[in-house]
Amino acid sequence: MGTGRIEAFTDGVIAIIITIMVLELKVPAGGDLGALGASVPILLAYVFSFVNVGLYWNNHHHLMLATDRIDGRLLWANLFLLFWLSLVPFVIRWHDESAFATGATAAYGIVLGMAAVGYKLTVHAIVACNGPDSPVARAVGRDWKGWGSIGVYLLAVPLAYVSRWAVVALYVGVIAMWLIPDRRIARILAERRP
Amino acid sequence: MGTGRIEAFTDGVIAIIITIMVLELKVPAGGDLGALGASVPILLAYVFSFVNVGLYWNNHHHLMLATDRIDGRLLWANLFLLFWLSLVPFVIRWHDESAFATGATAAYGIVLGMAAVGYKLTVHAIVACNGPDSPVARAVGRDWKGWGSIGVYLLAVPLAYVSRWAVVALYVGVIAMWLIPDRRIARILAERRP
Amino acid sequence: MGTGRIEAFTDGVIAIIITIMVLELKVPAGGDLGALGASVPILLAYVFSFVNVGLYWNNHHHLMLATDRIDGRLLWANLFLLFWLSLVPFVIRWHDESAFATGATAAYGIVLGMAAVGYKLTVHAIVACNGPDSPVARAVGRDWKGWGSIGVYLLAVPLAYVSRWAVVALYVGVIAMWLIPDRRIARILAERRP
Amino acid sequence: MGTGRIEAFTDGVIAIIITIMVLELKVPAGGDLGALGASVPILLAYVFSFVNVGLYWNNHHHLMLATDRIDGRLLWANLFLLFWLSLVPFVIRWHDESAFATGATAAYGIVLGMAAVGYKLTVHAIVACNGPDSPVARAVGRDWKGWGSIGVYLLAVPLAYVSRWAVVALYVGVIAMWLIPDRRIARILAERRP
């Protein structure tokens, strides 16, 4: 089994998640450009989620480029990841309708944390199926980024009740950490180029 | 005609079905994480439906890997299956808006039962088009899983009026039955590997 | 330019159209299975639209199998077809919210008629780009089906104000006409098989 | 890294954007065909947006046909473009709910202007990754179309407060400019044909 169809399905689900979030946003109540001001927080939450989901797509893309074989376990690990990503629009809508309630921000941490777990399970399933010397296994190594993300989101859930800005800083920090290109996977992909 | 485009279309429809269900869910009324409590039943129904639709995708994926030829009848059998799967978000929404009314649970049985009929018709169309010695024909055999699922859903519709928990147990039972990997199709796919 | 990406994009748009129609349907007001009774007309309209849009996908699939070259004109003819198909969920929703008003049924005729024009333009663009001896040109011939569909929908718009059932009969007639497999295109596709 | 998956993902997102706009439109309040009259402005706005997003898809298609290599920067430039395109349905909905308020028209200029910036960034990323002698670099040249579009949208934002019709004329002008096929890219694609 090649990776073609799992990539196509994942692309489809992520494309839908990233696009339907906008369906959830309330348009400004007024008719002037200034009325957009009240929409700024939810639009920023949308930007943040778009970048986050886009980051998962980007990483998934690289992961699959380095994967040769898939099996049933990988299909389910991938579905687990997609399930949690699909809850991102739900949490964004909760923010919008509750005027950024604390509970929504805490729930966002749970959703992103479980998505990080799903990504980890996907990586593990690839390694289990392609062997400990496979490109993904070598690229991921000890996977401090994966563990770090899960840890940060675990911390963010209770922290949402203390300081929203600290939580936002944590979330942005995780994004920054993943935006820095992963040299190992880039080097290993370069080696694989014919 | 190869299987490429039928796979792409099916992936697209299933990706949308699995993702828009979340658009249908009402967000918690309150702003605290505790307000999620009231959403737990509908979120569990979402998890259940996500796994169910994901299972169809997974099985469809395996089915198409073992299929060489398609024809018009197969296209329509596949559309019949997709039609019934597309009603899953409708039934989930009915559960949400009617606070888990009995009728919605019974309707869910009808929808899943007809989807199981659609899957059966798809398998039959593949066998009719690829011959009784084709990989799918050999893998499916007497298809007790397919007949069993239809039977269970037939039973679930009246049972919804007697005991919701019995129905949930039946639905979970069907999922468990399909989650167990099908050794025959795995063995036949292994034989086909170059 | 091959047909790959135009097929992928069309598959995506049609998959979304066919699936989001369900998002537009109001769930039953009551909680009993009997409450589904009031939803039967709109569910039948959904079935009808699902078959209609599925038919377009099916025909598009066959058309593209017989097409070797595409150009800018074909891309725009295809977008014109997709535009009108995208209004099908809008017209279905209008039926639902207006309790099947006459205007909505007439508008449905306009939308389906313009989609038929779009399909015709797509066929013309393929012939213009692939030559009068190309497979599609030979398969379509005088295209009485295409002209007939446009004529029927033209008739259906005013007829909606006289008799809804006559209009439904016309719409079902067009579907039946297209469901009969097109022998010419099947024969020509068979010739193309390696 | 080939362009396959970035094309598939972009196709998915654009297919969804172009289709969900229709979900945002309010159906006519009355039940007669005449009631569609009140929907004409928003339907025209939908046509306009459909053509605009379709144009981006068309251009993206040509751009990718002339691209051999992609990198991480290109993935993010492409996501930036898709982000702004994803706000088109949001702005359309604002028009619908505010009865075509001036602020919504101005916001449309911002969204289209930023999408034009995103397209420019995508072109730059392709040139950076494929070299100054690559087909895209030669086809784009000084890119007066790209700069012109950004300039026009910059002008349109304040102009929305002066005359809506002047803004509509500007928007239609940009579309016309892009509809004229780009001879350079067509010639360069023709050279690349095997």
Side-chain angles (χ1 to χ4, degrees), chain C:
Chain C
M1 275 196 254
T3 59
R5 205 168 163 192
I6 197 175
E7 291 180 63
F9 185 69
T10 305
D11 285 0
V13 173
I14 292 186
I16 298 158
I17 291 171
I18 222 170
T19 320
I20 63 174
M21 273 191 276
V22 129
L23 270 176
E24 322 254 302
L25 307 183
K26 283 186 279 190
V27 298
D32 193 79
L33 208 52
L36 261 178
S39 298
V40 165
I42 197 68
L43 285 173
L44 283 179
Y46 174 52
V47 171
F48 173 77
S49 301
F50 193 97
V51 171
N52 236 325
V53 176
L55 209 44
Y56 271 105
W57 179 73
N58 213 329
N59 287 323
H60 195 274
H61 185 178
H62 282 83
L63 212 54
M64 285 298 151
L65 277 174
T67 299
D68 295 308
R69 266 198 300 277
I70 68 166
D71 60 5
R73 179 182 161 189
L74 174 52
L75 293 181
W76 284 105
N78 196 60
L79 273 174
F80 183 86
L81 166 62
L82 294 178
F83 174 78
W84 289 100
L85 289 181
S86 81
L87 289 176
V88 169
F90 178 79
V91 179
I92 287 291
R93 187 153 41 110
W94 193 11
H95 273 98
D96 201 13
E97 295 192 7
S98 70
F100 281 74
T102 315
T105 305
Y108 204 172
I110 298 174
V111 165
L112 289 180
M114 292 306 288
V117 169
Y119 191 75
K120 202 158 202 21
L121 292 174
T122 303
V123 169
H124 280 225
I126 292 173
V127 171
C129 174
N130 291 267
D133 294 321
S134 61
V136 169
R138 284 184 296 137
V140 169
R142 290 180 158 206
D143 194 20
W144 63 268
K145 264 191 187 181
W147 286 115
S149 309
I150 296 172
V152 166
Y153 290 126
L154 223 67
L155 194 66
V157 177
L159 200 62
Y161 289 90
V162 182
S163 158
R164 182 188 304 280
W165 294 110
V167 172
V168 169
L170 280 184
Y171 289 173
V172 170
V174 174
I175 285 189
M177 184 175 79
W178 283 95
L179 274 176
I180 301 163
D182 204 322
R183 279 193 204 145
R184 278 175 312 184
I185 204 160
R187 204 181 51 232
I188 284 163
L189 284 176
E191 285 171 18
R192 285 166 69 87
R193 229 167 258 164

Side-chain angles (χ1 to χ4, degrees), chain A residues 105-120:
Chain A
T105 305
Y108 204 171
I110 297 174
V111 166
L112 290 180
M114 292 307 287
V117 169
Y119 192 75
K120 199 155 204 21

